[in-house]
Amino acid sequence: MIGPLDEYPIHQAPLPIGLVDASDRNFYDRCYLNAHDRTGDIFVITGAGYYPNLDTKDAFVLVRRGDVQTAVHLGEAIDSDRLNQRVGNYRIEVVEPLRRLRLILEETEGIAMDMTWEGSFDVLQEQPHIMRTGNRITLQAQRFAQVGTWSGTLTIDGEDIAVDPEKWVGTRDRSWGIRPVGEAEPAGKPADPPFDGMWWLYVPMRFDDFAIVLIIQENPDGYRILNDCTRVWKDGRVEQLGWPQVDIRYESGTRTPTGATIMCTTPDGQQLRLEIESRLAVPIHLGGGYGGDPDWTHGMWKGEKFTERRTYDVTDESVAGRIMFGVIDHVGRAVCHGPGADGSEGFGLFEHGALGRHDRSGFADWFSVAP
């Protein structure tokens, strides 16, 4: 398992760098990136993951246009060369660490891309994230996030789409640690009390002069187990924005948000208000491999040199009925009101999931919806 990274003094354990100092099968190291042209006409979500204790790695590209989501999945055995991130025809080139990346997918199942990411602000290290089921840690992760712009070309079934950095923006994150991946494990003793839901909000937004990154998780009774909201300025200053108050607006008869109002507090006690609207919704458990996706899951072994393409019409009843049981990523437009930002327009990710019971939202169980 000795690889190129072992030439560098970066070891954190008495092991080759390709091995991890954890026996948990669910150890992962993954990146997520999205790209859109601000209009809501198209949304691209992509990422790659390494799972050392499952001996596998994978990647995906998910594209939403109109009512159709198209996913390409790739997977193969892991290798020890982490300097060259590659899964089949998919690769990530680190042009300038923490600032510039190049993503390439050679034509696979009709989809191809050659797109370069440029970070607009410094990356932001988020607070550690921990979740337990009973006594067991089921998620223990570290993540950094960044907002930026894209350039290059995206190709869908022979159609070349120009990606202009004056129009195309997005967000990205990289996280690593423990979270459920691969095939489902035996449950053991059921959790007491049983899992009856979670409420999740993740909003990294890019404005001209600053970025705001918000991440909140609540239990069904509204108890907040994760609260991290910061503003990053061009000169590298980072402000904490307190304990945000959030009002999500849902489409009637669904759990799909149409927008939100978020009230934040600057370090000197002033109010900062974000008004967010959704311009396009992408349920990432429909082809994206995230929680609740029955078709493909991150870290699942599908065989060497695996590729597949799946297509989802979100207006189909068999597909639409699954949307409320997972997290939804939105092309988000925001207007920020308050000190240093009055009326500033921004774009980025509006990611939300209200799964199961959430008292504050009026969801009594897994099947209740907005009035």
Side-chain angles (χ1 to χ4, degrees):
M1 291 297 295
I2 295 295
L5 279 170
D6 288 300
E7 287 280 15
Y8 299 88
I10 58 176
H11 297 86
Q12 301 294 307
L15 297 166
I17 203 72
L19 301 177
V20 296
D21 193 20
S23 61
D24 195 316
R25 69 185 295 281
N26 290 316
F27 189 92
Y28 79 105
D29 196 331
R30 180 190 301 156
C31 63
Y32 161 100
L33 310 98
N34 66 54
H36 60 86
D37 67 356
R38 312 185 197 202
T39 62
D41 292 336
I42 186 170
F43 197 11
V44 181
I45 299 173
T46 184
Y50 280 68
Y51 314 95
N53 294 337
L54 298 178
D55 290 327
T56 188
K57 59 181 178 176
D58 56 31
F60 74 96
V61 178
L62 182 62
V63 181
R64 172 74 181 265
R65 293 199 294 179
D67 293 327
V68 176
Q69 287 185 197
T70 300
V72 170
H73 305 141
L74 308 94
E76 61 184 12
I78 204 168
D79 62 352
S80 59
D81 186 2
R82 307 299 166 80
L83 285 172
N84 294 293
Q85 302 173 67
R86 177 189 294 268
V87 183
N89 288 339
Y90 184 103
R91 68 181 187 270
I92 300 172
E93 299 177 357
V94 180
V95 180
E96 181 183 348
L98 306 182
R99 183 62 63 180
R100 188 178 297 111
L101 306 175
R102 184 184 179 197
L103 267 64
I104 297 172
L105 175 66
E106 298 170 9
E107 194 279 325
T108 302
E109 308 285 347
I111 307 295
M113 65 179 178
D114 186 346
M115 296 166 51
T116 297
W117 164 268
E118 179 82 26
S120 300
F121 302 88
D122 292 342
V123 301
L124 178 69
Q125 179 180 333
E126 297 177 1
Q127 293 180 9
H129 190 186
I130 298 176
M131 292 179 61
R132 292 181 181 270
T133 301
N135 293 324
R136 182 183 178 186
I137 290 178
T138 52
L139 189 149
Q140 183 175 15
Q142 177 65 67
R143 182 162 69 174
F144 68 75
Q146 189 176 41
V147 301
T149 60
W150 289 97
S151 60
T153 303
L154 172 70
T155 303
I156 303 174
D157 296 327
E159 176 190 357
D160 289 338
I161 300 171
V163 177
D164 182 348
E166 294 299 317
K167 299 178 180 178
W168 281 72
V169 296
T171 66
R172 74 172 182 118
D173 64 66
R174 175 173 282 283
S175 66
W176 57 95
I178 306 295
R179 70 187 296 172
V181 294
E183 293 77 7
E185 298 180 80
K189 175 185 174 295
D192 184 22
F195 177 75
D196 62 347
M198 62 169 278
W199 187 94
W200 171 264
L201 181 65
Y202 181 49
V203 183
M205 284 282 168
R206 176 186 181 273
F207 299 85
D208 288 340
D209 299 322
F210 57 86
I212 290 178
V213 179
L214 174 151
I215 180 169
I216 296 173
Q217 183 175 337
E218 293 182 358
N219 290 337
D221 62 1
Y223 186 89
R224 195 168 288 186
I225 66 169
L226 181 63
N227 182 89
D228 191 2
C229 186
T230 52
R231 176 160 58 171
V232 183
W233 294 89
K234 285 282 190 183
D235 61 9
R237 285 178 297 134
V238 177
E239 291 180 315
Q240 290 185 308
L241 296 179
W243 192 270
Q245 300 300 308
V246 181
D247 177 26
I248 303 286
R249 297 181 289 277
Y250 298 95
E251 181 182 348
S252 178
T254 76
R255 294 197 186 193
T256 301
T258 60
T261 299
I262 303 175
M263 299 297 298
C264 307
T265 306
T266 65
D268 60 1
Q270 299 186 71
Q271 293 295 299
L272 197 68
R273 187 176 90 250
L274 285 174
E275 294 290 349
I276 300 174
E277 64 171 299
S278 166
R279 292 199 163 177
L280 185 64
V282 179
I284 57 175
H285 55 296
L286 300 181
Y290 288 87
D293 192 338
D295 299 325
W296 181 78
T297 300
H298 301 142
M300 182 175 290
W301 176 247
K302 291 284 193 175
E304 191 61 66
K305 306 300 181 185
F306 167 78
T307 65
E308 70 172 5
R309 176 172 173 169
R310 289 183 176 267
T311 301
Y312 305 84
D313 182 344
V314 299
T315 64
D316 184 283
E317 289 186 4
S318 63
V319 175
R322 294 159 51 185
I323 291 176
M324 65 182 285
F325 299 106
V327 171
I328 304 174
D329 284 8
H330 303 254
V331 173
R333 173 186 176 269
V335 178
C336 188
H337 301 278
D342 203 28
S344 298
E345 182 183 49
F347 291 88
L349 176 64
F350 172 35
E351 180 179 270
H352 179 58
L355 313 180
R357 175 184 142 230
H358 189 246
D359 298 342
R360 185 167 58 82
S361 301
F363 300 136
D365 53 33
W366 286 90
F367 299 99
S368 56
V369 295

